[in-house]
Amino acid sequence: MDNITRRSFFKYAAATAAGAAIATRGLPVRAQERVIKVGTLKLIHGITPYFYSRFAPPGMKIEVIPFESPTDGKDAVVTGTVDFAIYGLAAATLGAAAGEPVVIVAAACNRGMAVVVAAASKAATIRDLKGMRVGIWPGSTQEVVFMDRLASEKMTARDIEVVRVSFSDMAPALARGDLDAYVGAEPAPGISLANGTGRILEYPYSTPTGSLNMVLTSSEDLLKKDPERVRALLKIHRAASEYAMKDKEAFIAMAMQRLGQQRRSIELAAPNVELTWRIDDQFVTQARYYGSQMLSRKQIRTLPDYNRFVPTALLHQLTS
């Protein structure tokens, strides 16, 4: 290659490289999508994130990561494995009380709980559970609420036989006769109703915790460093929650698809689920009471700093 040819070649190569760089910068936003990772439990009242993509703005991709355990969801937030996660108030309170940088950024679900007994059981009230094998997921919101219900009946966990069971195993265990009852999360109660193996003893919403159940959380670090990311997700979360509550057919279809359950069990579970987003004074009052119950039962050593754990002033700024 002579000098003239060599110079021409390098000029062509440089021009081509520059053109490629300019072309890359001009590619559609899709090539530079912002990915938001959201964890959620494999429960009907954890279904909201599967509607997020419908309301995500251009250039944003929602990746949903399912978890079996509330603690797994909380740990994923703390370690930064996910940006946000939906799980029970119990796991969130446990983390905050231990000094972990977990914060509640929105409500996620009210109700979704039920005390279920075998269809042929003679039990008519909570008191009738004395001596029975009751399935409970330790560390869950359901456990704290149920223990509060026992206390209101002047009972304790010693009055029943507590059996450690995950939420997804409760309905099958009751059907096999391994349990006399369970304190479950939907869709398990709906499954027990649909297959005829169980009936609802009580929806345990009469305690001062009310029907408060699951929350949307993030890390304190993300809230400080990228409040606009949090703002965007909160807008999506509200829209998705309201949409799923208004369109029951879409709600049922999504739950069937993501949970692999039959329509009848989802239809029976759906009325016991309220997807929500709002943090108001009642939410904070119930959350504080719930924390006091965990403290009294020595599940936590100290109460969380609620000004950090539920930063209402900052959240109001992000949602106004």
Side-chain angles (χ1 to χ4, degrees):
M1 183 180 294
D2 58 35
N3 289 337
I4 296 177
T5 303
R6 188 184 300 275
R7 285 195 299 270
S8 299
F9 171 77
F10 284 120
K11 285 182 180 180
Y12 172 78
T16 301
I22 294 172
T24 300
R25 289 196 296 271
L27 285 176
V29 176
R30 183 174 180 81
Q32 302 175 25
E33 279 184 328
R34 291 180 297 159
V35 177
I36 294 183
K37 295 183 178 181
V38 183
T40 191
L41 295 186
K42 299 176 184 178
L43 302 170
I44 189 172
H45 42 301
I47 208 72
T48 310
Y50 292 106
F51 290 101
Y52 283 1
S53 294
R54 176 184 290 267
F55 302 99
M60 179 179 291
K61 178 182 178 182
I62 304 295
E63 181 179 344
V64 181
I65 302 171
F67 292 106
E68 179 74 27
S69 160
T71 304
D72 290 341
K74 183 266 297 178
D75 290 344
V77 166
V78 172
T79 60
T81 304
V82 298
D83 301 304
F84 303 87
I86 289 176
Y87 47 84
L89 179 59
T93 304
L94 186 66
E100 294 178 329
V102 59
V103 293
I104 295 175
V105 294
C109 173
N110 294 330
R111 305 201 295 266
M113 312 179 202
V115 181
V116 183
V117 295
S121 174
K122 295 181 179 179
T125 68
I126 292 292
R127 290 187 179 188
D128 296 328
L129 295 177
K130 284 186 178 181
M132 291 188 178
R133 296 164 298 171
V134 182
I136 298 175
W137 181 241
S140 66
T141 306
Q142 283 80 350
E143 179 190 31
V144 176
V145 169
F146 181 63
M147 292 303 165
D148 202 10
R149 276 294 291 117
L150 288 181
S152 70
E153 300 291 344
K154 296 181 172 51
M155 296 170 62
T156 70
R158 295 179 181 178
D159 291 309
I160 61 175
E161 182 183 341
V162 175
V163 182
R164 181 189 179 102
V165 186
S166 67
F167 291 132
S168 60
D169 289 336
M170 288 181 177
L174 185 72
R176 291 192 304 268
D178 296 341
L179 299 173
D180 299 309
Y182 65 78
V183 186
E186 299 289 4
I191 293 171
S192 294
L193 290 176
N195 63 26
T197 60
R199 62 180 175 81
I200 305 299
L201 181 68
E202 179 182 298
Y203 292 116
Y205 307 137
S206 61
T207 75
T209 299
S211 61
L212 185 60
N213 190 347
M214 300 222 293
V215 293
L216 175 66
T217 67
S218 188
S219 68
E220 198 169 32
D221 186 57
L222 182 63
L223 191 60
K224 290 179 179 179
K225 291 185 176 180
D226 198 351
E228 290 307 312
R229 192 179 188 86
V230 178
R231 185 197 302 272
L233 196 280
L234 291 181
K235 184 177 180 180
I236 293 170
H237 176 66
R238 175 178 177 174
S241 300
E242 293 179 344
Y243 171 79
M245 283 289 89
K246 289 179 181 178
D247 193 332
K248 289 295 184 182
E249 183 55 37
F251 175 79
I252 290 171
M254 184 67 78
M256 289 173 61
Q257 176 189 349
R258 295 296 177 176
L259 302 177
Q261 299 298 330
Q262 298 297 315
R263 171 175 284 272
R264 183 57 179 161
S265 62
I266 297 299
E267 287 177 337
L268 290 170
N272 188 31
V273 175
E274 180 191 6
L275 303 180
T276 186
W277 57 271
R278 192 186 306 276
I279 288 182
D280 54 17
D281 291 342
Q282 180 181 3
F283 176 98
V284 175
T285 298
Q286 291 175 331
R288 285 177 175 272
Y289 173 81
Y290 185 86
S292 72
Q293 291 301 295
M294 293 186 72
L295 182 64
S296 68
R297 289 176 171 76
K298 296 181 171 50
Q299 293 175 316
I300 55 177
R301 294 182 178 181
T302 185
L303 289 172
D305 178 349
Y306 280 93
N307 290 327
R308 293 177 60 183
F309 183 37
V310 192
T312 52
L314 178 56
L315 294 175
H316 178 72
Q317 294 176 16
L318 292 176
T319 56
S320 60

